[in-house]
Amino acid sequence: MSNALSGKGRVSAELIERIRAKASEVGYVPSQAGRALRTGRTGVLGLVLPDISNPLFPQIAQAIEYAASNIGYGVLIADSRGEVAMQTEAVNRLIEQDVEGIVIVPRRGTRIADIGCPVAVIDSPSTPGNTVAADHWQGGQEIVEHLTGLGHRNLVLIGNNPASNVQNDRIGGMKSRIPSDGKAEVLWIEPLEQEWGKGCLLGLAGKVAEGFTAFVAVSDLHALRALTELHRAGIGVPEEASVTGFDDLLWSSVVTPGLTTMRMDMPRIAEIAVGALARVIEADCPETSRTATGTVASVEMTKVPMQLVVRQTTAPAASPTPEMSPQTPEGKCLC
Amino acid sequence: MSNALSGKGRVSAELIERIRAKASEVGYVPSQAGRALRTGRTGVLGLVLPDISNPLFPQIAQAIEYAASNIGYGVLIADSRGEVAMQTEAVNRLIEQDVEGIVIVPRRGTRIADIGCPVAVIDSPSTPGNTVAADHWQGGQEIVEHLTGLGHRNLVLIGNNPASNVQNDRIGGMKSRIPSDGKAEVLWIEPLEQEWGKGCLLGLAGKVAEGFTAFVAVSDLHALRALTELHRAGIGVPEEASVTGFDDLLWSSVVTPGLTTMRMDMPRIAEIAVGALARVIEADCPETSRTATGTVASVEMTKVPMQLVVRQTTAPAASPTPEMSPQTPEGKCLC
DNA sequence: TTAATTAGATTAAACGTTTAATCAGATCTG
DNA sequence: CAGATCTGATTAAACGTTTAATCTAATTAA
């Protein structure tokens, strides 16, 4: 009844105590529904992901949930399962559930329309309307600096799909740090698989024969693939070739050798994202919560630096490879 | 106002149409808060996980979210981040958010107390109070049947922690299918790491020297570790040794060679779990939703069979290994 | 023709909370 | 001491929905 007065208004300490006592005696818990109806605040944020089965989803979800619960919000999840149509449908489901704001990790190439509630976008700094993201470009730079610092000059950059902003940023950053006396070749997996079938070999052995000494993947997933393919071909990692990934997925540390990779500061990113949401929510609320303008474009976009995690898949480049001329002419996919 | 009458009561088709028109004209969306207050139904389920960073969390979350949204429920997530204390705290946060039921994947060894709302537990059939789970025992049986069918007789079973019900079930099932002319040795990783440090070698090369031809892990994570360790030691997979995992994590298909593993039927499990919840919710609701009895113990526990996924890490056992005597005497951890 | 039934529309009450408004008593001021 | 001020408690209104109840007019039956 007046329990809420425990903060506002004027009540005697004695009364407040009596209420408290009775409350816990009866096991009273305030109903969120009632509060929500009166105040228009549900205390719930939505989180929509392009595809929950994305391996780095756990990091995102965990960080968002943590950041949200820290400032008193719950997190309602929705999965667009990769389909772009379901993305808007998921958003609709969330706003029907009266979420006060939405954190969205958009599917590749998707633009988030102005919906009726505050939105924070986590994608890549190159995405229009983005709110916060890891600095993928800087991450790309740092990983190749690490490799060039070890003496590597000829790098194979491994990506999956050139349509991804994130992947492009990472590869862009990598390229920008290739020394003038070195060279880099980009290898896109998806087109390759279009032609040779899913799970095909990437022809990495051929690359080392051509003189490449390092394989720089845009994701630990692809790094793992490279790692095992090289192992299989009898090429020692890191003695004969170095391999790096991105994202520091869980298993990066359990493979042998441990994978050198770049890690995002997810807790930070999540904190910024939900923080931005909370700010516009708590600002807009007094007036017209239903008519909230949509995107949190007002708050300037933030880039969070990535961090290098050095493990065992990187080592100094093999001595200037005496036979560096292309011995195996075909660098093709060996599928 | 009477929009809801669109289902109950008696209204003319004409009026119903007029309402609809006006509604969409004004862009009216019914407020969940109001409905929740009146009906006591929030349409939200909670999902609490022992540790979101668990790599198979995506599968669980995705499946639960899908099953829930299919029958009109939203899913609020909560992470107990491994700490048992936070598990109950997470549950409390959820019920404060007025969830109508909770799906919980309990932390190892945790027992779920009777809280004030319906609960479905997903763990292992050996866990008391469990509602639904994959049939880990059967999974263990099937994977070794696959291996013995290929002629393997001496298997190393790799687990992490003997305190896990799930792992014990799997290993139990495995053991139950070891043929009389074969042998099996269990290798627990966690105690090993206690002694030799995290990420230490498991001494697998020694095992193949002793005559073991197959490594059966309780998780793809450990299988991956075994796979790379064997590769590293120059032991061919699957020519010289077979390796299998569990759970069919995302990357199981991208490693080279692709990992043979057992997959849970998560969609099915999720459907059963949220189905059970929905049933008791919709039954209890009319009377006393606040006084719901707690666990969904009433509905009998269900075991969902696991499915074998054969890829390339398993092959017929090498010809009866002529030199099967233990050449490398030390089977110790080589860390 | 009148009373009884009924379809369809309108009104009212209730859910549990918060916030504003009202009220009674006490302290203070002129 | 009377009127003004203030403190703390109590009461009332409102949020948006659903469900029950009331009300009107029209159709049917006697």
PDB file of all heavy atoms in Angstrom, chain A residues 131-146:
ATOM      1  N   THR A 131      25.600   1.810 -32.370  1.00  0.00           N
ATOM      2  CA  THR A 131      25.736   2.492 -31.087  1.00  0.00           C
ATOM      3  C   THR A 131      27.100   2.238 -30.467  1.00  0.00           C
ATOM      4  O   THR A 131      27.820   3.145 -30.088  1.00  0.00           O
ATOM      5  CB  THR A 131      24.652   2.020 -30.103  1.00  0.00           C
ATOM      6  OG1 THR A 131      23.380   2.210 -30.695  1.00  0.00           O
ATOM      7  CG2 THR A 131      24.744   2.807 -28.818  1.00  0.00           C
ATOM      8  N   VAL A 132      27.424   0.963 -30.394  1.00  0.00           N
ATOM      9  CA  VAL A 132      28.694   0.612 -29.780  1.00  0.00           C
ATOM     10  C   VAL A 132      29.188  -0.669 -30.420  1.00  0.00           C
ATOM     11  O   VAL A 132      28.410  -1.511 -30.851  1.00  0.00           O
ATOM     12  CB  VAL A 132      28.539   0.423 -28.259  1.00  0.00           C
ATOM     13  CG1 VAL A 132      27.519  -0.625 -27.951  1.00  0.00           C
ATOM     14  CG2 VAL A 132      29.863   0.066 -27.608  1.00  0.00           C
ATOM     15  N   ALA A 133      30.469  -0.821 -30.509  1.00  0.00           N
ATOM     16  CA  ALA A 133      31.022  -2.026 -31.102  1.00  0.00           C
ATOM     17  C   ALA A 133      32.481  -2.142 -30.722  1.00  0.00           C
ATOM     18  O   ALA A 133      33.116  -1.175 -30.302  1.00  0.00           O
ATOM     19  CB  ALA A 133      30.882  -1.985 -32.622  1.00  0.00           C
ATOM     20  N   ALA A 134      32.972  -3.345 -30.874  1.00  0.00           N
ATOM     21  CA  ALA A 134      34.405  -3.524 -30.721  1.00  0.00           C
ATOM     22  C   ALA A 134      35.076  -2.825 -31.895  1.00  0.00           C
ATOM     23  O   ALA A 134      34.505  -2.702 -32.979  1.00  0.00           O
ATOM     24  CB  ALA A 134      34.754  -5.001 -30.704  1.00  0.00           C
ATOM     25  N   ASP A 135      36.286  -2.395 -31.688  1.00  0.00           N
ATOM     26  CA  ASP A 135      37.010  -1.734 -32.760  1.00  0.00           C
ATOM     27  C   ASP A 135      37.698  -2.804 -33.613  1.00  0.00           C
ATOM     28  O   ASP A 135      38.878  -3.091 -33.447  1.00  0.00           O
ATOM     29  CB  ASP A 135      38.037  -0.773 -32.173  1.00  0.00           C
ATOM     30  CG  ASP A 135      38.590   0.162 -33.233  1.00  0.00           C
ATOM     31  OD1 ASP A 135      38.486  -0.184 -34.431  1.00  0.00           O
ATOM     32  OD2 ASP A 135      39.113   1.216 -32.864  1.00  0.00           O
ATOM     33  N   HIS A 136      36.912  -3.353 -34.509  1.00  0.00           N
ATOM     34  CA  HIS A 136      37.413  -4.477 -35.294  1.00  0.00           C
ATOM     35  C   HIS A 136      38.610  -4.082 -36.144  1.00  0.00           C
ATOM     36  O   HIS A 136      39.528  -4.861 -36.359  1.00  0.00           O
ATOM     37  CB  HIS A 136      36.286  -5.027 -36.180  1.00  0.00           C
ATOM     38  CG  HIS A 136      35.087  -5.451 -35.409  1.00  0.00           C
ATOM     39  ND1 HIS A 136      35.057  -6.570 -34.624  1.00  0.00           N
ATOM     40  CD2 HIS A 136      33.863  -4.887 -35.261  1.00  0.00           C
ATOM     41  CE1 HIS A 136      33.876  -6.693 -34.048  1.00  0.00           C
ATOM     42  NE2 HIS A 136      33.127  -5.677 -34.414  1.00  0.00           N
ATOM     43  N   TRP A 137      38.575  -2.876 -36.650  1.00  0.00           N
ATOM     44  CA  TRP A 137      39.681  -2.380 -37.472  1.00  0.00           C
ATOM     45  C   TRP A 137      40.988  -2.390 -36.669  1.00  0.00           C
ATOM     46  O   TRP A 137      41.974  -2.985 -37.083  1.00  0.00           O
ATOM     47  CB  TRP A 137      39.351  -0.960 -37.958  1.00  0.00           C
ATOM     48  CG  TRP A 137      40.346  -0.382 -38.899  1.00  0.00           C
ATOM     49  CD1 TRP A 137      41.524   0.229 -38.579  1.00  0.00           C
ATOM     50  CD2 TRP A 137      40.270  -0.355 -40.330  1.00  0.00           C
ATOM     51  NE1 TRP A 137      42.166   0.644 -39.701  1.00  0.00           N
ATOM     52  CE2 TRP A 137      41.430   0.307 -40.800  1.00  0.00           C
ATOM     53  CE3 TRP A 137      39.326  -0.809 -41.261  1.00  0.00           C
ATOM     54  CZ2 TRP A 137      41.667   0.513 -42.167  1.00  0.00           C
ATOM     55  CZ3 TRP A 137      39.574  -0.602 -42.615  1.00  0.00           C
ATOM     56  CH2 TRP A 137      40.719   0.038 -43.064  1.00  0.00           C
ATOM     57  N   GLN A 138      40.912  -1.806 -35.504  1.00  0.00           N
ATOM     58  CA  GLN A 138      42.091  -1.778 -34.637  1.00  0.00           C
ATOM     59  C   GLN A 138      42.519  -3.200 -34.281  1.00  0.00           C
ATOM     60  O   GLN A 138      43.703  -3.504 -34.201  1.00  0.00           O
ATOM     61  CB  GLN A 138      41.764  -0.969 -33.376  1.00  0.00           C
ATOM     62  CG  GLN A 138      42.747  -1.127 -32.224  1.00  0.00           C
ATOM     63  CD  GLN A 138      42.288  -2.158 -31.197  1.00  0.00           C
ATOM     64  OE1 GLN A 138      41.109  -2.527 -31.177  1.00  0.00           O
ATOM     65  NE2 GLN A 138      43.204  -2.635 -30.383  1.00  0.00           N
ATOM     66  N   GLY A 139      41.546  -4.077 -34.079  1.00  0.00           N
ATOM     67  CA  GLY A 139      41.863  -5.468 -33.789  1.00  0.00           C
ATOM     68  C   GLY A 139      42.656  -6.088 -34.919  1.00  0.00           C
ATOM     69  O   GLY A 139      43.658  -6.776 -34.696  1.00  0.00           O
ATOM     70  N   GLY A 140      42.212  -5.823 -36.142  1.00  0.00           N
ATOM     71  CA  GLY A 140      42.934  -6.339 -37.310  1.00  0.00           C
ATOM     72  C   GLY A 140      44.351  -5.808 -37.365  1.00  0.00           C
ATOM     73  O   GLY A 140      45.314  -6.553 -37.615  1.00  0.00           O
ATOM     74  N   GLN A 141      44.475  -4.515 -37.080  1.00  0.00           N
ATOM     75  CA  GLN A 141      45.809  -3.930 -37.087  1.00  0.00           C
ATOM     76  C   GLN A 141      46.715  -4.597 -36.076  1.00  0.00           C
ATOM     77  O   GLN A 141      47.834  -4.991 -36.360  1.00  0.00           O
ATOM     78  CB  GLN A 141      45.702  -2.432 -36.758  1.00  0.00           C
ATOM     79  CG  GLN A 141      44.976  -1.635 -37.821  1.00  0.00           C
ATOM     80  CD  GLN A 141      44.974  -0.145 -37.499  1.00  0.00           C
ATOM     81  OE1 GLN A 141      44.822   0.240 -36.340  1.00  0.00           O
ATOM     82  NE2 GLN A 141      45.150   0.670 -38.526  1.00  0.00           N
ATOM     83  N   GLU A 142      46.175  -4.764 -34.883  1.00  0.00           N
ATOM     84  CA  GLU A 142      47.001  -5.253 -33.793  1.00  0.00           C
ATOM     85  C   GLU A 142      47.472  -6.687 -34.031  1.00  0.00           C
ATOM     86  O   GLU A 142      48.613  -7.033 -33.727  1.00  0.00           O
ATOM     87  CB  GLU A 142      46.225  -5.164 -32.481  1.00  0.00           C
ATOM     88  CG  GLU A 142      47.123  -4.902 -31.307  1.00  0.00           C
ATOM     89  CD  GLU A 142      46.390  -4.170 -30.198  1.00  0.00           C
ATOM     90  OE1 GLU A 142      45.874  -3.061 -30.457  1.00  0.00           O
ATOM     91  OE2 GLU A 142      46.321  -4.721 -29.085  1.00  0.00           O
ATOM     92  N   ILE A 143      46.588  -7.485 -34.602  1.00  0.00           N
ATOM     93  CA  ILE A 143      46.983  -8.888 -34.784  1.00  0.00           C
ATOM     94  C   ILE A 143      48.084  -9.005 -35.842  1.00  0.00           C
ATOM     95  O   ILE A 143      49.023  -9.773 -35.659  1.00  0.00           O
ATOM     96  CB  ILE A 143      45.760  -9.778 -35.151  1.00  0.00           C
ATOM     97  CG1 ILE A 143      46.092 -11.258 -34.967  1.00  0.00           C
ATOM     98  CG2 ILE A 143      45.290  -9.544 -36.575  1.00  0.00           C
ATOM     99  CD1 ILE A 143      46.012 -11.720 -33.553  1.00  0.00           C
ATOM    100  N   VAL A 144      48.003  -8.194 -36.897  1.00  0.00           N
ATOM    101  CA  VAL A 144      49.090  -8.338 -37.872  1.00  0.00           C
ATOM    102  C   VAL A 144      50.351  -7.661 -37.359  1.00  0.00           C
ATOM    103  O   VAL A 144      51.459  -8.085 -37.685  1.00  0.00           O
ATOM    104  CB  VAL A 144      48.747  -7.850 -39.313  1.00  0.00           C
ATOM    105  CG1 VAL A 144      47.282  -7.965 -39.604  1.00  0.00           C
ATOM    106  CG2 VAL A 144      49.277  -6.491 -39.609  1.00  0.00           C
ATOM    107  N   GLU A 145      50.200  -6.644 -36.535  1.00  0.00           N
ATOM    108  CA  GLU A 145      51.411  -6.062 -35.942  1.00  0.00           C
ATOM    109  C   GLU A 145      52.124  -7.105 -35.092  1.00  0.00           C
ATOM    110  O   GLU A 145      53.352  -7.178 -35.082  1.00  0.00           O
ATOM    111  CB  GLU A 145      51.048  -4.839 -35.090  1.00  0.00           C
ATOM    112  CG  GLU A 145      50.941  -3.574 -35.920  1.00  0.00           C
ATOM    113  CD  GLU A 145      50.352  -2.423 -35.127  1.00  0.00           C
ATOM    114  OE1 GLU A 145      50.083  -2.604 -33.917  1.00  0.00           O
ATOM    115  OE2 GLU A 145      50.153  -1.350 -35.730  1.00  0.00           O
ATOM    116  N   HIS A 146      51.318  -7.876 -34.388  1.00  0.00           N
ATOM    117  CA  HIS A 146      51.914  -8.947 -33.593  1.00  0.00           C
ATOM    118  C   HIS A 146      52.704  -9.906 -34.490  1.00  0.00           C
ATOM    119  O   HIS A 146      53.839 -10.286 -34.183  1.00  0.00           O
ATOM    120  CB  HIS A 146      50.801  -9.698 -32.852  1.00  0.00           C
ATOM    121  CG  HIS A 146      51.212 -11.001 -32.252  1.00  0.00           C
ATOM    122  ND1 HIS A 146      52.146 -11.114 -31.256  1.00  0.00           N
ATOM    123  CD2 HIS A 146      50.810 -12.273 -32.518  1.00  0.00           C
ATOM    124  CE1 HIS A 146      52.302 -12.388 -30.929  1.00  0.00           C
ATOM    125  NE2 HIS A 146      51.500 -13.109 -31.673  1.00  0.00           N
TER     126      HIS A 146
END
